Amino acid sequence: MSDLSHHTTTDITSHPDVAEMRERYARMLSGRQATALDGLILLTGMYAAISPWVVHFRATSPELTVNNLIIGIVLAVVGLGLTRAPERMYRLSWTCAVIGVWLVISPWVVTAGHSASAGLIWNNVWIGAVTLALGLAATRLAMATESQRKPAT
């Protein structure tokens, strides 16, 4: 059998795609620097999904339980997408702000037939406010990244 291992050090500068690889690496380093922010969006979505069980309103308000579960899962998926594929997902960061507004108003919209408890309202208002703030911050970073990517004319 022949020896296929190379005992000499290989220089990557002779690789045909080295310019593209360097440009892509530089773009990744200078692009979205919001990994912590995206992680917080993911965690906020996970908390929104489990909040009916944490705050104990799943039995008293089943419709808001379903709402928080679905909205929380959607927010967590968006946060996961922002952390795992930021180049593809950064334009969707504004949806976090919209979800935050919905979380704030949902106790009154979803439970329109009966009054919601104070704990349920405060839970959703706090989650919604945090989500709105994170969504606005992520949108601001996405807009800054977009303006950096556009070539000067």
Side-chain angles (χ1 to χ4, degrees), residues 27-126:
R27 187 178 48 197
M28 287 297 288
L29 286 179
S30 67
R32 279 182 49 88
Q33 303 204 355
T35 305
L37 184 66
D38 299 338
L40 289 173
I41 291 171
L42 171 67
L43 291 174
T44 303
M46 290 171 56
Y47 176 75
I50 66 167
S51 67
W53 291 271
V54 173
V55 184
H56 303 291
F57 64 83
R58 64 178 166 76
T60 59
S61 183
E63 57 278 339
L64 197 61
T65 299
V66 171
N67 175 70
N68 279 22
L69 182 64
I70 292 170
I71 293 298
I73 290 171
V74 167
L75 185 60
V77 167
V78 169
L80 183 64
L82 287 169
T83 58
R84 300 292 294 170
E87 285 188 347
R88 294 180 187 161
M89 294 286 294
Y90 76 95
R91 289 187 181 143
L92 287 177
S93 58
W94 63 270
T95 59
C96 297
V98 173
I99 290 171
V101 170
W102 172 252
L103 282 168
V104 169
I105 64 172
S106 65
W108 292 281
V109 174
V110 174
T111 62
H114 56 83
S115 62
S117 67
L120 185 147
I121 292 171
W122 279 109
N123 178 65
N124 271 34
V125 167
W126 277 108

